[in-house]
Amino acid sequence: MNEFQLHERLAADTLGVGDFALSRILLMNDARYPWVILVPRLPGARELHELSRLDRIRLLDESGVVADCLERLFRPDKLNLGVLGNLVPQLHVHHVARCAGDPAWPGPVWGHSPAEPYPAELAEERLAALRGCLGLAA
């Protein structure tokens, strides 16, 4: 059996938050948007419909926890969810807290402009806030 490995692009573009029962939780390294990505730790998973019914339910439940957390922490005007995979074929679910007036508003954040990485101190603050909200150990 193959072991789970995070796609190299996700590894390069994100900061690790922690793990749920099914998914790895990542913070997109773009300080302009509160942006969390869930990656089911299932080797070879590419599409939602390929998951077992139980894993689809588990992923949806984990996505709901992330969405609730982003709503509580950032009070966005809209929460964008996406499962694209055009550049990264590994199954992953984006959760982007959007606010009117953010750099890409009202369009999508994907491909809008280059990411602006978190300064170290803000990254640690954001990671700690997410871990606390998600009930993860530090």
Side-chain angles (χ1 to χ4, degrees), residues 17 20 23-26 34-38 58-82 93-98 129-130 133-136:
V17 178
F20 283 143
S23 303
R24 172 88 20 101
I25 310 160
L26 305 169
W35 184 343
V36 174
I37 299 171
L38 289 181
R58 188 173 289 129
L59 180 57
L60 184 58
D61 286 348
E62 291 176 351
S63 178
V65 171
V66 168
D68 287 343
C69 176
L70 290 173
E71 290 273 350
R72 285 195 312 271
L73 288 176
F74 303 105
R75 305 281 185 224
D77 294 311
K78 181 68 177 110
L79 187 61
N80 293 168
L81 300 179
V93 182
H94 296 267
H95 303 73
V96 188
R98 301 294 306 278
L130 286 168
C133 186
L134 296 170
L136 303 173

Side-chain angles (χ1 to χ4, degrees), residues 32-48:
R32 300 171 300 170
Y33 314 99
W35 184 343
V36 174
I37 299 171
L38 289 181
V39 184
R41 292 186 317 277
L42 301 169
R46 296 174 52 96
E47 304 291 347
L48 279 171

Side-chain angles (χ1 to χ4, degrees), residues 21 54 101 135:
L54 181 59

